[in-house]
Amino acid sequence: MKDSLRQQFERLALRLNELDATLADPGVAADMARYRLLTREHAEVSGLVERFRRFEQRERDLDDAQALLAEPGNAPDMVEMAQQEADSARADIDRLHLELQTALLPRDPDDARNAFVEIRAGTGGDESALFAGDLARMYLRHCERRGWRSEVLSESVSDLGGYKELVLRIEGDDVYARLKFESGGHRVQRVPVTETQGRIHTSACTVAVLPEPDEAEELTLNPAELRIDTFRASGAGGQHVNKTDSAIRITHLPTGIVAECQDDRSQHRNKAKAMAVLTARLRDKERNERAAKEAATRKGLIGSGDRSDRIRTYNFPQGRLTDHRINLTLYKLQSILDGDLDEVTAALQAAQAAEQLATLESGLA
């Protein structure tokens, strides 16, 4: 391990002592918000320091085993035992070194949040809308597999089925961390149901994954900059939704960003959900603007999240899915469309971690 990396963990050990002393102060518990932050930091830092101490212990174990192997005249069984201990210590050192490096990687503060998934039909007309329906089914099935909860906030159904636009809210553990790389352009290659001559067509949809804002940290929006319209819901929900103006559309006038919700019978609840979507979109706009500035100096492996990026191709004749950002090709298209996205999301997360590790190592060189 490089000295600079060791120094970082030694500083964390000092920080752990500071946290122990601070949390022992009875006055700290009186401020629950601060107390929660400190206890969360304590849990993270103590785990890192414990792992680092284990790493140091295995280094000492390796030194002892190598010293024993270097002594002349040892019995064969003693030599074998020392060799086994040396091999075990090396394996542990390599594993712990990688874990410690990975633990220092910068974390997206939004990773643990719930998410809004927005799917929009693009080029390809009716076929694009049908593909949007396939993508919606894929994400909903994936939610079922992971035990996440999902709800439709708004939808615009196409004439032949599928969606012109669909907005989902997904709630569960690490939803945004696992789905954030889905943002971008999704392309499908297949023979449409409307094609009479068997020709393969190419259509596209865009997907945007936005972290749900924390209610305690929501943007302060000026009411004078919002236009709120009510209308009758057109989606599922029975006769009631067609009798009352319960659906809500909110427009942020300075940016022109619009959010709507029509899934609930309560106008008040629809307004709250639409406001949450609007806030998420405004935050995403800010995030993209920051990313655009950073991209001028550093090109990200996963991509900027630009909605025009073509990130993935779904080729039905070959049963193939290709993610162009990491050159991942899988011949299990139907399984993926049935919600088996874990291999894809894990590969994207691993690619980002590898890039961050390379950046970390170059910075410590």
Side-chain angles (χ1 to χ4, degrees), residues 36-67:
R36 282 195 295 269
L37 288 174
L38 289 172
T39 52
R40 189 181 303 127
E41 183 184 359
H42 185 277
E44 294 176 359
V45 173
S46 61
L48 284 173
V49 171
E50 180 181 350
R51 197 174 300 173
F52 178 60
R53 297 307 182 204
R54 173 64 176 164
F55 175 84
E56 291 184 312
Q57 180 59 54
R58 294 306 278 159
E59 283 188 319
R60 291 191 290 270
D61 293 341
L62 178 59
D63 290 341
D64 292 343
Q66 289 177 327

Side-chain angles (χ1 to χ4, degrees), residues 127 131 186-190 201-204 313-314 316:
E127 169 61 12
F131 179 47
H186 295 242
R187 183 177 70 172
V188 63
Q189 296 173 329
R190 65 183 175 188
H201 289 226
T202 298
S203 302
T313 295
Y314 303 72
F316 276 71

Side-chain angles (χ1 to χ4, degrees), residues 127 130 190-196 199-201 203:
E127 169 61 12
L130 291 172
R190 65 183 175 188
V191 178
V193 293
T194 55
E195 169 61 48
T196 59
R199 293 174 299 184
I200 296 173
H201 289 226
S203 302

